[in-house]
Amino acid sequence: MKLLPAILLAAVTSSSAFGWGCEGHQIVALVASRHLTTEARAEVYQLLKDHPIDPALSRFCQPPATEPMADAATWADDSKRSEKTGPWHYMDIPRGVEHADLMKYCEPVGDSKDGKDRPGCVLTGLQYEFDILRDRSRSSAERATALLYVIHFVGDLHQPLHTTTNDDQGGNCTSVTLFEDPKRANLHGAWDYGIIAHYLKQNNQTPEQMAAQLDRRYQSKGQNWLHGPIDFGEWIREGHQIAEKVTYNQLRPKLPVAPAANGPGCAAEREKSTALKIDIDSRYAAAAMPVIDKQLAKAGYRLADVLNSAF
């Protein structure tokens, strides 16, 4: 799959960038597909075959992935407006908060009212859909939709900026330059797309090749992730710690920790970060890419574990 420059530019400059972007979500799904049990594999691919994604749905990732799980991995971003599930993709735990009571930063899943987004967050949204997926009294159509959400949300919660904020909407309001490109980008988009795309281009790799490489590299550690406890909350806390130690801490110049509550908000954080002239450069990428590698691999193995347990 070749990266289209226009897609990359739209992603890293958008204020609502997609979690992990096309390549990242596809890599997670491709790693997971290698570790499904025979039973889980049969059911996963049958559900995807019996309930294909609506061909009328506008798909951001072009061309669509040919592998069914990889294609399914990005549906939840394409449909979040129509499904009213935008808040399900993230949890804004402030920087500096340790041992967080996660539900302080999340709402239980509920119904849309007056056309507004449904309440919830990545923790409760994932749990809600996971429960549907493993409930065999549900229709196959309901379980197929739940499968699409589970594939996506396990990926989302391993992107550190989907579980952390610096009063900047998970990095969306932290202005940066990306590898000296004069066009402004944002930190969230850099982690979703920019750094991964830069790596793939430098190494002349496709998402399929990168997934295979990560699977080989983490084969030993992967067994622990594949057979570990399924604990969505703990996985979120891991990502939050990574955001503090790497995503924000490696920025140069340093970005101050914003107030945990009632901060000045997006415009002020964008202005502050713009004045600092932060560049996502080769030094930053060298610190970030090993973490991104590990999070993608970890998400893939854990997704396989989640699906194996569901089926």
Side-chain angles (χ1 to χ4, degrees):
M1 175 177 173
K2 294 183 179 179
L3 184 67
L4 301 179
I7 292 177
L8 173 60
L9 176 60
V12 298
T13 58
S14 169
S15 63
S16 57
F18 298 115
W20 280 139
C22 303
E23 292 77 15
H25 274 296
Q26 290 167 7
I27 289 165
V28 170
L30 289 165
V31 171
S33 70
R34 292 166 165 258
H35 298 282
L36 298 176
T37 63
T38 302
E39 295 80 3
R41 174 176 295 278
E43 293 211 47
V44 164
Y45 284 90
Q46 192 65 50
L47 282 173
L48 295 177
K49 180 180 179 182
D50 291 346
H51 302 280
I53 294 171
D54 183 356
L57 178 67
S58 177
R59 305 299 303 277
F60 179 77
C61 300
Q62 295 294 335
T66 56
E67 204 284 333
M69 274 187 66
D71 184 44
T74 57
W75 171 87
D77 277 333
D78 295 324
S79 64
K80 63 185 176 185
R81 288 188 179 180
S82 60
E83 295 284 315
K84 306 295 182 184
T85 54
W88 292 14
H89 293 249
Y90 62 91
M91 176 186 286
D92 280 342
I93 306 171
R95 281 184 72 189
V97 172
E98 297 183 6
H99 313 296
D101 175 3
L102 297 183
M103 292 309 297
K104 181 179 179 181
Y105 307 102
C106 183
E107 294 185 63
V109 168
D111 294 328
S112 175
K113 295 181 180 179
D114 301 322
K116 295 180 179 179
D117 280 346
R118 301 174 68 184
C121 74
V122 69
L123 173 62
T124 52
L126 174 55
Q127 187 65 57
Y128 177 82
E129 297 295 346
F130 180 50
D131 288 343
I132 292 174
L133 181 62
R134 58 184 177 176
D135 182 354
R136 293 185 177 275
S137 69
R138 298 278 192 153
S139 69
S140 63
E142 289 176 303
R143 295 178 74 218
T145 300
L147 173 62
L148 298 177
Y149 276 119
V150 169
I151 292 172
H152 186 86
F153 289 153
V154 171
D156 270 354
L157 65 80
H158 283 83
Q159 207 276 52
L161 287 170
H162 275 252
T163 58
T164 309
T165 189
N166 194 47
D167 201 30
D168 61 357
Q169 297 181 15
N172 279 298
C173 305
T174 291
S175 179
V176 299
T177 56
L178 188 62
F179 302 110
E180 300 181 347
D181 189 323
K183 295 183 177 67
R184 303 301 298 180
N186 64 68
L187 184 62
H188 192 114
W191 273 69
D192 274 358
Y193 280 85
I195 299 172
I196 297 174
H198 183 75
Y199 174 87
L200 290 172
K201 183 177 179 181
Q202 278 194 321
N203 292 274
N204 194 29
Q205 281 191 340
T206 64
E208 292 80 4
Q209 290 168 331
M210 186 171 176
Q213 175 182 287
L214 291 178
D215 194 28
R216 291 191 298 270
R217 183 183 304 160
Y218 289 100
Q219 188 173 23
S220 179
K221 289 183 180 179
Q223 295 307 305
N224 293 327
W225 301 327
L226 182 61
H227 302 291
I230 295 175
D231 189 335
F232 302 144
E234 183 57 30
W235 301 349
I236 286 170
R237 291 186 178 93
E238 285 179 5
H240 180 67
Q241 291 171 358
I242 290 169
E244 184 61 64
K245 293 178 180 178
V246 180
T247 310
Y248 286 104
N249 194 49
Q250 289 292 329
L251 294 174
R252 297 291 184 273
K254 291 276 191 179
L255 187 65
V257 177
N262 301 316
C266 188
E269 288 303 313
R270 184 176 289 118
E271 182 178 355
K272 182 193 304 180
S273 55
T274 299
L276 289 172
K277 298 181 179 179
I278 299 168
D279 183 38
I280 302 300
D281 55 12
S282 57
R283 180 207 63 82
Y284 185 91
M289 196 62 212
V291 175
I292 292 172
D293 273 358
K294 187 174 181 180
Q295 287 299 101
L296 292 174
K298 188 184 292 184
Y301 281 99
R302 284 174 168 171
L303 174 58
D305 190 18
V306 167
L307 297 178
N308 290 341
S309 69
F311 295 110

